[in-house]
Amino acid sequence: MAAAASKIPGPARHDSQGIPMHAPGRRLTTATNPHKHIHPVPDKSHIGPDIEAYKAAHSDTVGPHSDAWWAQQARDNLAWIKDFSIVRTGSFPSAEELKEDNPTPPSTLPITWFPDGALNACYNCVDRHAFKNPDQTAIIYEADEPGEHQYITYGMLLNEVCRVANVLKGMGVKKGDTVTIYLPMTWQAAAAFLACARIGAIHSAVFAGFSAESLRDRILDCGSTVLITADEGRRGGRSVATKVIADQALKECGDANPVKHVLVLSRTGSKTVAEQHFTLGRDVWWHEAVAQVPSYCPPEVMNSEDGLFILYTSGSTGKPKGILHTTGGYLLGALLTVKYVFDVHPGDKFACMADIGWITGHTYIIYGPLSLGTTTTFFESTPVYPSPSRYWETVSKHGLTQFYSSPTAVRLLRKLGHQHVQEHDLSSLRVLGSVGEPINPEAWNWFNEHVGKGECAIVDTFWQTETGSIIVTPLPGAIETKPGSATVPFFGIETEIVDSMSGKALEGDNIEGVLCIKKPWPSIARTIWGDHKRFVDTYLRPYPGYYFTGDGAGRDEHGYIWIKGRVDDVINVSGHRMSTAEVESALLMHNGVAETAVIGTADEMTGQAVNAFVTMKPEFSYDPATEPALVKELVLQVRKIIGPFAAPKRIFIVADLPKTRSGKIIRRILRKIVAGEGDQLGDLSTVAEPEVVEIIKKKVADSISS
């Protein structure tokens, strides 16, 4: 393991106002975040030994002189079929350029990286590593059932990718076409992604937990003629009717259905699917198709700006947004962030526990690790199947060196107790990562103490589907970490904290606003599929001259960035602005609280009011008859830690929270229930346990009426 990541020993360090370093990171009140400690950097990392080394490295990646750095990185790390002479073009449009009557609208000012260069993403992820060392493990496939794991070498992966590519070509797929992928977390999903990239097709992966309606909408929007799916999926000891859902989606497409061929992976060998849900002439079994084609397919020559994939993000209203990422810039961003953020070295075994249906799976399961030539992990199961030690069994069994998961998973495992961690050897781990939402300090500290044993670097990463790769993060070896802070910008990223009302950049430290980015970086999305105006209106028009992340953020006395959550997750009570994450963190400090979700609702007296949903730890016992006393105790907890203005108007103690199958809390459901719109919840197909919603609706109704 790396050097210790415990609190710095010796005399207490103080900030500019004399407050100890373990005091709040943000200078609003000393009660804002009382958990913050600074943790030192590990040794023997790519960047180090301190923040000055980071600053020197970062300065080479931004500004007018930085093209030389990016050109060198692109040439050193990627294999080019045709070298480039131009590093980048374009910028974020100014207010003048964004005027509706401007004869040169922003859609004609393209952001490009290496635009006259040519390469192939699949070749970079597979061929060059297979030719060098065909027996090196490319993928660790940890199947749903313990003991059913497989090791897929780069040579094996190349063979499967080429065969699938030839199958797709036989189905008429050509460069520029779209292919929809609706697969569970099997290693063959990587082959499907990379087969598309190999022949120049743009893949559109849809999370296998999405409903038929969601799949239908995505197929229709991108016009795929081929769908790749499976008979069934496996997760948590249960079978998922993947093909049945896919068939329903195609049926709902009606006369507009563009799909002519369906390639079906036999994951479980379901006889029901084979006999009742298999359409002859349209459906083809994966294993039969790949056995009938050659084992090599030449990679297509792709311009750096040719599309690589579309990934849809769901908005609260309207149709899903198909975010388009291109080839060269995205691949370089994915590779560099794996290398530097997770401090990956030859021989490492990288594990991202996300799903390939999300951007995290695209970048940190497939394209990032494989382009770097490291070993990646496909984890098909859940953190608690068949027991809450499943993650740690996987780490120990395979000797994983990096472990990247979500705060939700960490909080769940914290809730279930550290005894599940203690019985496993985690000494192979060097870097722990967090992704998806700001991690509360209690979860961070549990992660550090019980999983990292105080000896692993922890990287709390911030990025989005639209950014393509991580944009704010600590770097092991250079950045001292603070629980709850994403810390500093990655290479090429110039962050700005902007006043949400005036749009002006806020100077100095100890400030809060919205997080924007000044200049384009290689892996930024280029457009929304078929709707560039929506792309401009969503990300570029709100704050001209910037990319708008949609997140609130603060910068503390050390220049560290604290992500406050989506702007609509900031609650304004009587002029006091606070993030939902702050209130959640305060509630989690109570020794009985396991999980919490905080939302803001309209209030005629204060503008907005804080409402909190709380689950208690199994070992924490209380008499339901005295629940009001417990609620009062929790309210006092928030008042004490943040201040009276943050006190929740209502706290609902519930048995569970509505979550997706990947474990993310669905706060929009809670907002609607509290707002009295429980009959307008929309599509609940992504909710893992729909009955939880009905229980919460009754709880809220009873509480408000009493």
Side-chain angles (χ1 to χ4, degrees):
M1 285 193 178
S6 57
K7 189 172 67 173
I8 296 174
R13 299 175 61 192
H14 294 73
D15 66 13
S16 59
Q17 297 188 22
I19 295 177
M21 292 298 248
H22 60 270
R26 189 183 135 229
R27 172 80 53 254
L28 295 181
T29 70
T30 56
T32 302
N33 183 2
H35 337 266
K36 189 189 71 178
H37 298 269
I38 291 189
H39 293 254
V41 301
D43 295 330
K44 300 179 181 177
S45 302
H46 287 298
I47 302 293
D50 52 30
I51 195 170
E52 296 307 318
Y54 156 77
K55 290 178 179 178
H58 186 267
S59 68
D60 289 337
T61 73
V62 296
H65 62 281
S66 61
D67 278 9
W69 189 90
W70 286 106
Q72 180 177 347
Q73 293 299 315
R75 291 188 175 110
D76 288 351
N77 289 288
L78 299 177
W80 294 86
I81 300 170
K82 176 181 177 291
D83 194 17
F84 54 88
S85 63
I86 301 168
V87 174
R88 64 179 127 187
T89 67
S91 60
F92 298 135
S94 65
E96 182 66 26
E97 292 169 323
L98 286 165
K99 287 182 178 178
E100 297 292 346
D101 58 352
N102 191 325
T104 309
S107 59
T108 64
L109 303 173
I111 293 168
T112 69
W113 283 80
F114 321 114
D116 58 343
L119 73 169
N120 184 277
C122 179
Y123 181 90
N124 274 276
C125 290
V126 186
D127 299 51
R128 59 177 179 159
H129 310 306
F131 296 155
K132 182 179 179 181
N133 188 358
D135 295 328
Q136 180 191 339
T137 299
I139 297 171
I140 298 169
Y141 170 44
E142 178 68 15
D144 190 48
E145 291 297 331
E148 293 186 0
H149 61 274
Q150 293 177 258
Y151 296 114
I152 310 302
T153 67
Y154 274 99
M156 294 164 62
L157 183 60
L158 176 60
N159 184 296
E160 193 75 4
V161 166
C162 285
R163 289 182 183 275
V164 175
N166 281 325
V167 169
L168 293 176
K169 290 175 73 172
M171 291 176 170
V173 178
K174 58 187 184 300
K175 182 177 178 178
D177 289 349
T178 60
V179 173
T180 296
I181 299 172
Y182 186 64
L183 284 171
M185 276 295 295
T186 61
W187 72 268
Q188 289 91 344
F193 277 49
L194 294 163
C196 292
R198 192 170 193 84
I199 64 175
I202 300 170
H203 61 74
S204 169
V206 180
F207 172 54
F210 273 155
S211 65
E213 182 183 63
S214 298
L215 178 59
R216 174 204 66 198
D217 291 346
R218 287 154 174 78
I219 289 171
L220 290 174
D221 188 68
C222 69
S224 296
T225 57
V226 172
L227 170 66
I228 304 177
T229 189
D231 56 353
E232 293 179 319
R234 289 287 298 173
R235 183 168 173 81
R238 300 176 181 178
S239 295
V240 180
T242 309
K243 181 60 163 60
V244 174
I245 296 170
D247 282 355
Q248 182 62 32
L250 295 179
K251 181 179 179 181
E252 291 182 10
C253 286
D255 294 339
N257 181 16
V259 174
K260 306 301 179 186
H261 304 280
V262 180
L263 184 61
V264 186
L265 177 71
S266 178
R267 168 60 184 90
T268 65
S270 168
K271 290 184 178 180
T272 301
V273 170
E275 295 172 359
Q276 301 178 24
H277 301 281
F278 201 85
T279 303
L280 295 177
R282 182 196 71 180
D283 298 353
V284 178
W285 286 110
W286 175 304
H287 60 278
E288 293 178 354
V290 298
Q292 298 171 18
V293 295
S295 60
Y296 184 73
C297 173
E300 187 76 26
V301 178
M302 304 297 292
N303 181 274
S304 179
E305 283 299 312
D306 282 337
L308 179 60
F309 66 84
I310 302 165
L311 187 57
Y312 287 87
T313 63
S314 299
S316 57
T317 60
K319 72 176 186 178
K321 299 176 292 187
I323 301 298
L324 177 70
H325 281 287
T326 55
T327 304
Y330 168 80
L331 202 61
L332 183 61
L335 183 151
L336 291 178
T337 47
V338 168
K339 177 179 178 178
Y340 289 105
V341 175
F342 298 98
D343 193 41
V344 171
H345 295 268
D348 279 356
K349 297 175 181 177
F350 184 88
C352 170
M353 312 309 277
D355 191 284
I356 50 92
W358 309 117
I359 187 62
T360 307
H362 283 56
T363 304
Y364 297 110
I365 295 178
I366 297 179
Y367 287 110
L370 294 179
S371 64
L372 192 58
T374 195
T375 298
T376 191
T377 304
F378 269 65
F379 182 79
E380 188 179 35
S381 194
T382 76
V384 295
Y385 179 76
S387 76
S389 65
R390 183 63 186 277
Y391 271 175
W392 322 127
E393 290 173 357
T394 302
V395 170
S396 179
K397 180 197 310 180
H398 302 298
L400 303 179
T401 49
Q402 290 84 12
F403 182 86
Y404 194 30
S405 190
S406 68
T408 299
V410 174
R411 286 192 292 265
L412 170 64
L413 296 169
R414 171 179 174 264
K415 167 185 174 180
L416 296 173
H418 64 267
Q419 68 272 16
H420 300 290
V421 185
Q422 290 176 328
E423 52 196 55
H424 300 284
D425 179 9
L426 307 184
S427 60
S428 61
L429 288 172
R430 293 202 323 274
V431 180
L432 305 177
S434 169
V435 60
E437 59 183 301
I439 186 170
N440 57 292
E442 295 75 22
W444 194 104
N445 285 318
W446 184 90
F447 208 20
N448 176 50
E449 178 182 352
H450 296 289
V451 180
K453 312 300 183 187
E455 297 179 353
C456 289
I458 298 184
V459 290
D460 179 2
T461 63
F462 171 74
W463 62 298
Q464 306 168 320
T465 300
E466 297 85 349
T467 69
S469 60
I470 294 165
I471 60 171
V472 183
T473 177
L475 293 184
I479 304 300
E480 296 179 319
T481 50
K482 303 181 183 183
S485 173
T487 67
V488 296
F490 185 66
F491 297 149
I493 303 298
E494 297 178 84
T495 56
E496 195 81 271
I497 307 294
V498 172
D499 181 83
S500 61
M501 300 302 292
S502 68
K504 294 181 179 179
L506 297 171
E507 301 296 330
D509 296 328
N510 302 313
I511 49 93
E512 283 195 40
V514 295
L515 182 64
C516 295
I517 313 297
K518 295 180 185 179
K519 303 290 183 183
W521 59 98
S523 64
I524 185 176
R526 300 303 194 259
T527 190
I528 291 174
W529 183 260
D531 196 350
H532 190 68
K533 182 179 184 300
R534 189 180 182 189
F535 181 84
V536 172
D537 290 346
T538 302
Y539 306 109
L540 308 182
R541 192 177 299 280
Y543 298 97
Y546 296 106
Y547 167 84
F548 174 45
T549 65
D551 282 270
R555 187 167 57 235
D556 72 11
E557 70 274 9
H558 299 103
Y560 279 19
I561 294 169
W562 295 73
I563 305 300
K564 299 300 171 183
R566 303 298 295 172
V567 172
D568 58 6
D569 285 340
V570 173
I571 304 173
N572 192 329
V573 180
S574 300
H576 295 283
R577 289 172 56 84
M578 73 200 85
S579 73
T580 55
E582 283 182 278
V583 184
E584 289 172 359
S585 182
L587 288 165
L588 284 165
M589 288 188 69
H590 187 280
N591 61 9
V593 173
E595 287 186 295
T596 181
V598 169
I599 59 170
T601 56
D603 187 277
E604 61 183 32
M605 288 293 293
T606 60
Q608 283 189 299
V610 177
N611 288 258
F613 291 81
V614 172
T615 68
M616 309 306 292
K617 295 176 181 176
E619 67 270 22
F620 183 84
S621 60
Y622 71 98
D623 184 356
T626 63
E627 183 173 303
L630 177 57
V631 168
K632 183 177 180 180
E633 187 179 323
L634 293 170
V635 170
L636 290 173
Q637 173 99 358
V638 176
R639 289 174 62 95
K640 178 182 177 183
I641 294 172
I642 302 179
F645 63 88
K649 183 176 182 179
R650 295 190 188 93
I651 294 180
F652 305 99
I653 298 176
V654 294
D656 202 356
L657 297 168
K659 299 172 186 173
T660 64
R661 291 172 177 82
S662 62
K664 186 173 183 179
I665 298 170
I666 310 175
R667 288 172 173 80
R668 69 169 179 83
I669 291 177
L670 301 176
R671 289 192 191 97
K672 283 187 171 290
I673 291 174
V674 174
E677 299 172 358
D679 59 342
Q680 303 172 38
L681 298 181
D683 181 14
L684 298 180
S685 62
T686 59
V687 181
E689 303 288 345
E691 60 269 23
V692 169
V693 176
E694 295 304 315
I695 294 170
I696 290 176
K697 286 167 68 173
K698 185 176 187 306
K699 177 79 174 187
V700 171
D702 292 345
S703 177
I704 292 176
S705 63
S706 61

